[in-house]
Amino acid sequence: DAGVTQTPRHEVAEKGQTIILKCEPVSGHNDLFWYRQTKIQGLELLSYFRSKSLMEDGGAFKDRFKAEMLNSSFSTLKIQPTEPKDSAVYLCASSPGLGGDSQNTLYFGAGTRLSVL
Amino acid sequence: SQLAEENSWALSVHEGESVTVNCSYKTSITALQWYRQKSGKGPAQLILIRSNEREKRNGRLRATLDTSSQSSSLSITATRCEDTAVYFCATDAWTNAYKVIFGKGTHLHVLP
């Protein structure tokens, strides 16, 4: 089975640019999460989808961060406009979300390392 | 403030020794999970322990859960260099929607 795929692995952007990060979840999973990871803040939840519906839009991340799930097998995270403080690793994870022991298990991609200059 | 938090930023042990990572959390939970993240990779789940369980094992790993003190521990026996990683505890939480909240992680270094 294919795991979670994230592209690109690395992204370098100039301040003010728009960047789009992509994620393909595990086939058949109902839940999809976007997290931002930094050394200081750790893993911060940006967005959460259940069956393609946006359930959580990340509060403080709302203004410049927009996650979408156009179909059950593809999600994007757009950052517009980028700022240097957005430099971080962005992780996508999916979960079965259907109950049972595996209900809450998150399967992560390898992440996209974003550097904003 | 963090809903889940590991109690140590970093730990070092020598190969073959045992080590325990501790976690405290602040909310009522249905389950607590332990994840490991190696350099350049995303976190991977090690153990999921439900609120009605007190202990769970997975090979050299043993997780405990104490809901009365809202704490959990992850013990690794006979550590190996490849156990070097960041270890996270994560709890589920309901605010306006279901979410999984991670602690900031404990950096474990296993020395030869």
Side-chain angles (χ1 to χ4, degrees):
Chain A
D1 276 344
V4 176
T5 303
Q6 290 189 248
T7 54
R9 289 297 312 275
H10 302 275
E11 179 79 64
V12 179
E14 299 275 342
K15 178 183 172 182
Q17 272 187 291
T18 296
I19 62 103
I20 297 176
L21 309 181
K22 305 178 184 77
C23 174
E24 295 173 40
V26 175
S27 177
H29 279 188
N30 280 309
D31 290 354
L32 186 138
F33 301 81
W34 283 98
Y35 287 89
R36 182 172 79 172
Q37 185 174 31
T38 60
K39 286 184 180 172
I40 294 175
Q41 296 297 334
L43 282 151
E44 299 172 283
L45 180 66
L46 299 176
S47 294
Y48 160 51
F49 293 87
R50 167 153 283 190
S51 301
K52 299 187 294 179
S53 296
L54 182 63
M55 307 298 290
E56 172 76 31
D57 64 2
F61 295 99
K62 274 187 200 179
D63 56 347
R64 296 182 299 107
F65 291 73
K66 184 178 174 65
E68 290 185 313
M69 197 158 186
L70 302 178
N71 59 59
S72 59
S73 59
F74 186 70
S75 177
T76 59
L77 176 66
K78 181 192 287 187
I79 308 176
Q80 177 183 36
T82 52
E83 298 181 5
K85 64 182 179 181
D86 299 332
S87 297
V89 175
Y90 290 83
L91 290 161
C92 175
S94 68
S95 174
L98 292 175
D101 281 346
S102 62
Q103 175 182 7
N104 303 331
T105 299
L106 268 59
Y107 297 82
F108 281 86
T112 295
R113 182 173 294 278
L114 172 65
S115 298
V116 183
L117 309 175
Chain B
S1 61
Q2 296 287 119
L3 291 179
E5 197 164 54
E6 299 80 5
N7 295 356
S8 300
W9 171 248
L11 294 170
S12 290
V13 296
H14 288 280
E15 231 180 352
E17 293 178 339
S18 296
V19 66
T20 297
V21 180
N22 294 300
C23 167
S24 56
Y25 60 91
K26 296 180 180 177
T27 63
S28 175
I29 62 170
T30 60
L32 184 140
Q33 305 180 59
W34 284 96
Y35 285 80
R36 175 172 67 189
Q37 184 177 26
K38 296 194 174 184
S39 181
K41 304 247 173 108
Q45 191 198 65
L46 299 173
I47 291 180
L48 183 152
I49 183 165
R50 297 212 172 271
S51 59
N52 61 352
E53 298 175 310
R54 291 296 167 259
E55 177 181 304
K56 204 152 188 185
R57 292 176 184 265
N58 178 8
R60 295 182 294 112
L61 307 176
R62 173 177 169 261
T64 65
L65 181 65
D66 184 341
T67 52
S68 62
S69 63
Q70 295 189 314
S71 63
S72 176
S73 69
L74 176 72
S75 297
I76 308 173
T77 57
T79 53
R80 305 167 183 165
C81 287
E82 52 262 38
D83 294 327
T84 293
V86 181
Y87 291 78
F88 298 93
C89 64
T91 59
D92 53 3
W94 280 94
T95 51
N96 56 328
Y98 171 81
K99 58 183 78 173
V100 178
I101 305 298
F102 286 78
K104 293 189 178 180
T106 292
H107 293 71
L108 174 65
H109 299 272
V110 181
L111 307 168

